[in-house]
């Protein structure tokens, strides 16, 4: 008993502290519940006020919904058209790139031929000079 007595006192103190903490939290929860109920009531009042102030009838609401569906459909069609145009532009770009590379290759071949013809012309001019000098 001599050894358990201080432990039991400490245990009872801890239990008392926990109970006080629980009571404080319960009080906070009660206050929070009151605040939540006030917010719910305010939301309900605002909802009722919105319904009263609303000038949109059921028929108008249905028209708005059908118009929104039409707009969504049009947007879908426009997106498809945009994708098609982008694909066409990409294909056109690829064709142009291929043509440019093809023409570049032809240009390189022609420049090489020009160079060889220039060298050949130079040789022919040298031969002509030598033949002239011989003549």
């Amino acid at each position: 008993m001599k050894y358990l007595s201080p432990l039991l006192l400490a245990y009872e103190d801890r239990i008392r502290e926990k109970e006080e903490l629980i009571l404080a939290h319960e009080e906070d929860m009660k206050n929070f519940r009151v605040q939540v109920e006030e917010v719910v009531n305010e939301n309900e009042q605002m909802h009722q006020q919105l319904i009263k102030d609303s000038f949109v009838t059921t028929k108008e609401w249905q028209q708005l919904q059908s118009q929104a569906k039409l707009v969504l459909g049009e947007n879908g069609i426009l997106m498809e058209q945009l994708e098609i145009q982008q694909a066409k532009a990409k294909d056109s770009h690829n064709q142009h790139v291929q043509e440019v590379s093809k023409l570049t290759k032809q240009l390189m071949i022609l420049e090489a031929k020009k160079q060889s013809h220039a060298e050949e012309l130079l040789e022919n001019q040298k031969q002509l000079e030598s033949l002239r000098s011989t003549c």
Side-chain angles (χ1 to χ4, degrees):
M1 275 310 234
K2 172 171 126 177
Y3 296 109
L4 288 179
S5 179
L7 291 175
L8 287 174
L9 289 175
Y11 180 71
E12 288 176 0
D13 287 342
R14 292 272 314 233
I15 289 177
R16 200 172 307 113
E17 288 174 5
K18 298 286 182 179
E19 286 176 352
E20 290 173 1
L21 187 63
I22 288 171
L23 289 175
H25 283 306
E26 284 179 358
E27 188 65 32
D28 289 342
M29 290 303 292
K30 286 178 184 175
N31 291 336
F32 183 69
R33 182 174 186 196
V34 169
Q35 289 175 350
V36 168
E37 287 174 353
E38 289 174 2
V39 169
V40 167
N41 288 334
E42 184 180 348
N43 282 345
E44 288 175 357
Q45 289 173 358
M46 291 175 79
H47 182 68
Q48 293 300 324
Q49 186 66 30
L50 180 65
I51 291 172
K52 286 179 185 176
D53 293 342
S54 179
F55 297 111
V56 179
T57 63
T58 305
K59 185 176 181 180
E60 290 172 336
W61 180 251
Q62 289 173 348
Q63 287 176 343
L64 286 172
Q65 286 179 329
S66 65
Q67 287 175 352
K69 287 178 184 177
L70 289 174
V71 168
L72 285 174
E74 289 175 7
N75 284 348
I77 291 170
L78 290 173
M79 290 298 290
E80 289 174 5
Q81 289 177 347
L82 178 64
E83 288 174 3
I84 291 169
Q85 287 179 350
Q86 286 175 341
K88 285 181 181 179
K90 186 176 180 179
D91 290 342
S92 177
H93 176 72
N94 288 339
Q95 285 179 341
H96 288 306
V97 167
Q98 287 176 353
E99 280 186 47
V100 166
S101 65
K102 185 174 155 182
L103 291 174
T104 304
K105 186 177 179 180
Q106 286 179 347
L107 179 63
M108 289 172 53
I109 292 170
L110 290 175
E111 284 179 355
K113 282 183 181 179
K114 177 184 168 187
Q115 181 68 30
S116 68
H117 287 307
E119 291 172 2
E120 195 177 311
L121 178 64
L122 214 65
E123 279 184 37
N124 288 340
Q125 284 177 347
K126 286 179 184 177
Q127 281 181 349
L128 178 65
E129 283 300 316
S130 70
L131 289 175
R132 275 190 188 163
S133 63
T134 314
C135 288

